[in-house]
Amino acid sequence: MKTMPASLEAEPGIKSFLADCGLPSDDISASHLDNFFFLKDSGQIVGSVGLEICGEFGLLRSLALSESLRRQGIGTQLVEHIEEYARSQNIRSISLLTTTADQFFARIGYQTIARENAPEPVQETTEFQSICPASAICMYKQLQ
């Protein structure tokens, strides 16, 4: 499987995949897809990861894998891919919100922080403002 950039044609499939994985996708627009990547297997989307760019800061979004692909290192590879992409876009740090994967992200170098300590431009995103519940864990990783 190869990580591929998202396209407008892939939008319905990506949104459907995210919904199947229990992740929000209502606010994902065409401009977001410029910074999204996905995996396909046998013509089906089986993985995704995105980056919402907020100036020099990034918000990791929509990391998802089909159940059958979990615990094989593929999620880590997707995060490494988005981190490299973020560096190429001169992003200094990545923040994220999670309700289920904090232990996974901690293993790959993300630290739990108070939500109000995330970079201000990240806090202004729809995901921070209204999509993710207040109970979501905020995590952060410095890239540069």
Side-chain angles (χ1 to χ4, degrees):
M1 285 178 284
K2 182 180 177 194
T3 306
M4 301 179 294
S7 65
L8 284 177
E9 297 79 35
E11 181 179 3
I14 290 171
K15 286 185 171 186
S16 176
F17 174 71
L18 292 174
D20 290 347
C21 292
L23 293 177
S25 65
D26 291 344
D27 71 317
I28 295 174
S29 66
S31 64
H32 286 111
L33 292 178
D34 290 340
N35 305 304
F36 267 66
F37 299 87
F38 65 95
L39 296 173
K40 266 190 169 181
D41 187 30
S42 301
Q44 298 293 319
I45 294 175
V46 295
S48 68
V49 67
L51 183 71
E52 189 165 339
I53 296 177
C54 309
E56 59 188 353
F57 306 104
L59 174 63
L60 190 147
R61 299 203 44 174
S62 308
L63 177 66
L65 275 175
S66 294
E67 187 71 38
S68 64
L69 297 176
R70 295 179 187 167
R71 294 173 180 60
Q72 298 178 36
I74 298 169
T76 300
Q77 291 172 5
L78 283 171
V79 173
E80 289 170 351
H81 182 85
I82 208 70
E83 288 175 355
E84 277 305 308
Y85 177 75
R87 286 183 187 95
S88 77
Q89 302 298 307
N90 297 313
I91 301 299
R92 291 183 17 204
S93 65
I94 294 178
S95 301
L96 62 90
L97 293 169
T98 183
T99 57
T100 60
D102 54 305
Q103 291 179 357
F104 165 78
F105 284 109
R107 282 194 305 272
I108 57 174
Y110 286 78
Q111 298 178 347
T112 300
I113 62 169
R115 200 169 175 142
E116 61 270 11
N117 290 337
E120 191 171 319
V122 172
Q123 290 183 44
E124 294 170 0
T125 63
T126 305
E127 184 161 329
F128 259 75
Q129 294 290 318
S130 61
I131 293 178
C132 282
S135 60
I137 296 168
C138 184
M139 301 188 82
Y140 177 88
K141 185 176 186 179
Q142 189 74 30
L143 295 180
Q144 302 173 352

